[in-house]
Amino acid sequence: MPYRNPYFDPAKPHHTPEGFRNLEPDTRGKGDLQRWRRERKEQGLPKPPKAGYAAFANQWWTKADIPAEGDGAWWLGHACVLLRRGEQTVITDPVLSHRASPLSFAGPARRTPAPVHVDDLPRIDVVMISHNHYDHLDTRSVKSIARRFPACVFMVPLGLAPWMRRHGITHAVELDWWDGIDIDGGRFTLVPARHWSARSLSDRNRTLWGGWVWQRHGYTFWFAGDTGYSPNLAEVGQRLGPIDLAALPIGAYSPRWFMQGQHTDPAQAVQLHRESNVRRSLAIHWGVFELADDPLDEPPALLAEALREEGVAEDAFISIPVGARIPD
């Protein structure tokens, strides 16, 4: 029988009878995926960093040093950020495995090592998952966190709680865009993103995607997840700002004709920063996995260029090494 979306609400424009959709038009056409794969193979893309992979990792990686107590924030690579405020610790899209893939022997492999292992993490109270792609929802990492921290709550978009339960994760809460919930003094709100979902060849857009806003003790953090640019995203800052820290993606944007509807480039990330009532932004979604045609060392260089062109201070939108602590 054809799949029917059990969450379907005809009053919500991002709902469809078969699943979910973006509010923006789709920028991909039939055959575009095959064209991209063919062209990147012909052109030998992505190219390695200018100084080579070893030098890149030496510059952009450090072992994470996360104390058991005290406020702070750390970038753990790709879309994984760990924050602690007022004795509540949250982590976004924990992917600490070697590959972003359903297979242990194939698929995108890390070019910078995981800066910490689950066994070395401090207590995690809440995990925020943006969507079900393998570079954002890693089975091994989330199961390990759930085993080590049985009281941990997993916040997920609509449709992902059943997947969590199938993998033994019982404390899963699923929300729709703009829905929120309070957990131990922290407010968690799922906000829109321009992206898509799929875990296999037959489940495209059956589960929702999004970003998360966490508010606690007067502090607001926006994890944008995986997203293409949309002027609609400024509503996050308008409704829930001012935002003290935003984690905005800057990588996996090339070629633009194929990636523009799902991934922001550095200039668009700066535009989001400016439009969204954000005090400081952290560059994420770069430096770990080669998911598109841009070389690993290009996103931070283009970010610095965009900041200069837009007159935004360098310390207002920062790039830091994988594993580093985000400056207060």
Side-chain angles (χ1 to χ4, degrees):
M1 293 181 60
Y3 175 80
R4 305 298 293 175
N5 180 6
Y7 305 91
F8 177 56
D9 182 346
K12 296 183 176 181
H14 63 288
H15 286 218
T16 74
E18 297 79 26
F20 303 95
R21 64 186 173 195
N22 292 304
L23 300 179
E24 304 80 11
D26 193 352
T27 59
R28 291 185 178 183
K30 185 177 181 181
D32 280 355
L33 176 62
Q34 291 75 17
R35 173 192 165 190
W36 171 54
R37 287 176 171 171
R38 182 181 68 254
E39 290 181 355
R40 77 194 308 249
K41 183 177 181 180
E42 291 172 350
Q43 298 171 32
L45 300 174
K47 300 295 184 183
K50 291 179 180 178
Y53 290 108
F56 175 83
N58 186 60
Q59 178 183 0
W60 289 107
W61 181 90
T62 186
K63 183 177 180 180
D65 181 13
I66 309 171
E69 298 179 348
D71 290 353
W74 293 261
W75 182 44
L76 303 184
H78 202 52
C80 185
V81 180
L82 184 146
L83 301 93
R84 186 188 300 118
R85 301 290 298 187
E87 299 183 353
Q88 186 173 57
T89 304
V90 304
I91 194 169
T92 68
D93 287 0
V95 177
L96 301 174
S97 296
H98 178 63
R99 292 187 185 276
S101 170
L103 305 173
S104 62
F105 54 87
R110 304 185 75 98
R111 290 297 189 174
T112 48
V116 67
H117 299 292
V118 172
D119 289 345
D120 300 318
L121 289 173
R123 187 195 76 242
I124 303 297
D125 299 302
V126 178
V127 176
M128 295 181 285
I129 300 295
S130 64
H131 65 299
N132 70 355
H133 287 163
Y134 286 94
D135 60 316
H136 293 260
L137 176 56
D138 174 45
T139 304
R140 181 178 178 183
S141 295
V142 296
K143 290 178 68 174
S144 297
I145 289 173
R147 283 194 299 266
R148 184 154 184 252
F149 308 108
C152 181
V153 179
F154 287 74
M155 303 298 304
V156 300
L158 284 184
L160 271 179
W163 184 95
M164 292 285 170
R165 290 192 291 269
R166 288 197 301 272
H167 289 82
I169 300 171
T170 56
H171 298 300
V173 177
E174 58 183 14
L175 298 180
D176 202 349
W177 288 353
W178 300 115
D179 288 345
I181 189 172
D182 295 316
I183 300 175
D184 296 332
R187 180 72 176 176
F188 297 84
T189 304
L190 183 69
V191 295
R194 183 182 182 182
H195 203 58
W196 58 289
S197 68
R199 198 79 177 167
S200 69
L201 296 176
S202 60
D203 66 346
R204 185 180 176 89
N205 294 346
R206 290 186 182 178
T207 63
L208 189 57
W209 51 92
W212 288 97
V213 170
W214 173 50
Q215 297 167 301
R216 182 175 174 83
H217 294 182
Y219 182 88
T220 299
F221 168 66
W222 174 29
F223 167 54
D226 217 349
T227 187
Y229 172 78
S230 169
N232 295 323
L233 296 179
E235 189 177 0
V236 175
Q238 294 164 2
R239 292 175 62 162
L240 301 174
I243 296 166
D244 296 285
L245 177 66
L248 302 181
I250 68 165
Y253 49 79
S254 182
R256 294 312 289 149
W257 66 265
F258 185 68
M259 293 294 180
Q260 63 179 329
Q262 58 182 319
H263 292 150
T264 53
D265 63 23
Q268 290 173 322
V270 173
Q271 187 174 356
L272 274 182
H273 168 88
R274 296 188 63 181
E275 294 174 346
S276 304
N277 202 11
V278 175
R279 291 172 175 163
R280 171 180 277 186
S281 291
L282 169 72
I284 64 167
H285 205 266
W286 72 280
V288 178
F289 300 110
E290 293 173 307
L291 302 174
D293 292 353
D294 38 299
L296 289 178
D297 56 350
E298 186 177 84
L302 293 186
L303 177 63
E305 181 180 308
L307 292 173
R308 289 192 299 271
E309 291 179 353
E310 295 298 323
V312 178
E314 289 185 3
D315 61 355
F317 197 145
I318 58 173
S319 302
I320 63 174
V322 172
R325 179 170 180 157
I326 301 165
D328 295 328

